[in-house]
Amino acid sequence: MQPSRAANIATGATQHDSLRAVQWLGDRLHLLDQRKLPFEEAWIDCRDADDVARAIRDLVVRGAPAIGIAAAWGMVLAARHGDDAARALATLRAARPTAVNLVAALDRMQARIEAGADPAALVREAQAIQDQDLAANRAMGAMGAALIRPGSGVLTHCNTGSLATSGFGTALGVIRAGCASGNIVRVYAGETRPWLQGARLTMWELQRDGIAATLIADSAAAHLMKSGRVQWVIVGADRIAANGDTANKIGTYQIAIAARHHGVKFMVVAPAATVDLATPTGDTIDIELRDPEELLGIGGHRTVVAGAQAWNPVFDVTPHDLIDVLVTERGVITQPDEAALRAVFGPGAH
Ligand code: MRU
């Protein structure tokens, strides 16, 4: 479904940025079902907090900022139905463990509920979370793209675009802005086994917005770097610990190691809501383990011998010393470490 011009005006979407996958329709949450892309553009409606939690768990909606936004709307649905807020908060918080944006959005909603907010005030808070994410993405896009020399090639991993956020994207926002300015002339996307966020979602999203991208197998990343085709790796994040260690989609860590080896710069792009100063280092980040079945087949077709076992961690942690630049809406941090993060995100920092 192509959004209408009127819908784009209402949502602030523009050329190279035409997709809004999380939509509040006044009485329900309308989600583009990301399990079915790119071949089917089906939408599902969530009418209560349990529906939203299920949609997050089952990856109907995914990407750290998008699941936080969806959860905030889940709390609006709970309030409208007079459901027990503590139960709804607990159910939504437990939907996925790694992305701190989910917790951050629910903390904001919980603070408003504890301050006595009525459902209308909760609608305003959820809308603010969604709007602030879009504004952060646009700001990060401009700052990140400005770091890239004209004529550069980039590699990204997973999907960090409009599908994963309120719109525009984090790493993909930098790529959108960099393609618009001419700083980026080649985009490569890793396919992102096992769920294929890169192949199914990033390729679809970029093509839809008129940005040509080239798919690679995840295992081709180091060879791509050796070929000289990319000068930057640009990725998003699910949780950034106080020392800058960054959890992101499985495979990111090995790409960062390969980038350092080949002299390719490594950029993490994430809103401040992804920074978690309460988690000291990446070692204590809860890495989601999903059903091994996701790895034992592709698109519902079994590819592995019956009886085989599989280990399916869906995130990994890139140590901060492999990250050249962290871009948030609060600015650019080069060589992120604990001192730099506390200076920007710690108490009294802004
Ligand atoms: O399992 P997913 O698809 O939710 O994982 C998403 C990622 O790892 C993204 O890179 C991250 O959430 C940043 S999205 C702006």
Side-chain angles (χ1 to χ4, degrees):
M1 184 171 80
Q2 208 55 27
S4 68
R5 184 179 292 271
N8 281 349
I9 290 166
T11 56
T14 57
Q15 200 203 355
H16 301 306
D17 171 30
S18 63
L19 180 66
R20 294 294 176 264
V22 180
Q23 299 184 8
W24 174 247
L25 297 187
D27 62 346
R28 61 195 189 278
L29 187 63
H30 200 49
L31 297 173
L32 180 55
D33 189 343
Q34 300 191 30
R35 299 168 304 180
K36 301 197 169 149
L37 291 170
F39 299 116
E40 199 183 326
E41 291 178 42
W43 292 75
I44 72 156
D45 286 328
C46 297
R47 296 181 185 276
D48 59 29
D50 284 345
D51 285 349
V52 177
R54 200 173 311 113
I56 293 171
R57 245 186 341 262
D58 294 348
L59 307 183
V60 170
V61 57
R62 33 68 47 203
I67 65 177
I69 293 161
W73 289 116
M75 289 311 299
V76 170
L77 289 166
R80 285 171 60 96
H81 296 308
D83 295 341
D84 178 41
R87 184 191 163 276
L89 282 164
T91 306
L92 287 162
R93 273 186 213 283
R96 291 190 77 187
T98 305
V100 74
N101 308 60
L102 178 66
V103 179
L106 289 169
D107 284 350
R108 279 180 65 168
M109 298 304 283
Q110 183 173 3
R112 300 293 293 145
I113 292 163
E114 286 170 2
D118 62 10
L122 292 183
V123 168
R124 287 195 295 279
E125 187 68 6
Q127 192 62 57
I129 291 170
Q130 187 154 358
D131 294 347
Q132 286 161 12
D133 185 63
L134 186 58
N137 291 342
R138 294 224 167 98
M140 294 187 295
M143 286 187 282
L147 300 171
I148 297 170
R149 282 221 187 100
S152 295
V154 302
L155 168 65
T156 191
H157 190 57
C158 195
N159 172 269
T160 61
S162 296
L163 290 168
T165 64
S166 61
F168 199 64
T170 57
L172 224 52
V174 169
I175 290 172
R176 282 192 160 92
C179 288
S181 69
N183 292 11
I184 297 174
V185 295
R186 283 179 303 279
V187 181
Y188 293 88
E191 62 178 348
T192 321
R193 279 283 288 151
W195 213 67
L196 301 176
Q197 287 94 331
R200 294 190 307 103
L201 307 179
T202 298
M203 294 300 288
W204 176 78
E205 191 177 324
L206 289 177
Q207 187 182 87
R208 191 177 188 278
D209 279 351
I211 295 173
T214 302
L215 184 68
I216 61 162
D218 296 324
S219 45
H223 184 63
L224 175 77
M225 292 176 200
K226 194 176 174 193
S227 78
R229 288 177 172 85
V230 294
Q231 286 64 51
W232 283 88
V233 171
I234 310 178
V235 296
D238 288 82
R239 190 181 296 244
I240 301 172
N243 71 344
D245 292 353
T246 293
N248 191 49
K249 179 52 54 192
I250 190 76
T252 305
Y253 177 29
Q254 64 197 21
I255 293 173
I257 293 169
R260 180 57 54 89
H261 181 79
H262 291 95
V264 170
K265 296 278 184 204
F266 192 89
M267 183 191 302
V268 172
V269 188
T274 311
V275 175
D276 176 18
L277 293 185
T279 294
T281 72
D283 293 343
T284 46
I285 296 175
D286 187 356
I287 299 293
E288 180 179 5
L289 278 175
R290 290 185 72 88
D291 189 343
E293 284 300 318
E294 293 181 350
L295 214 48
L296 295 171
I298 299 176
H301 298 286
R302 180 91 186 188
T303 52
V304 184
V305 63
Q309 295 179 7
W311 182 54
N312 188 22
V314 299
F315 298 99
D316 59 25
V317 175
T318 299
H320 66 94
D321 54 3
L322 292 179
I323 299 169
D324 293 295
V325 182
L326 168 62
V327 179
T328 77
E329 71 273 34
R330 298 199 192 161
V332 173
I333 301 176
T334 50
Q335 292 166 343
D337 61 10
E338 177 155 7
L341 261 75
R342 289 210 184 274
V344 176
F345 301 103
H350 63 107

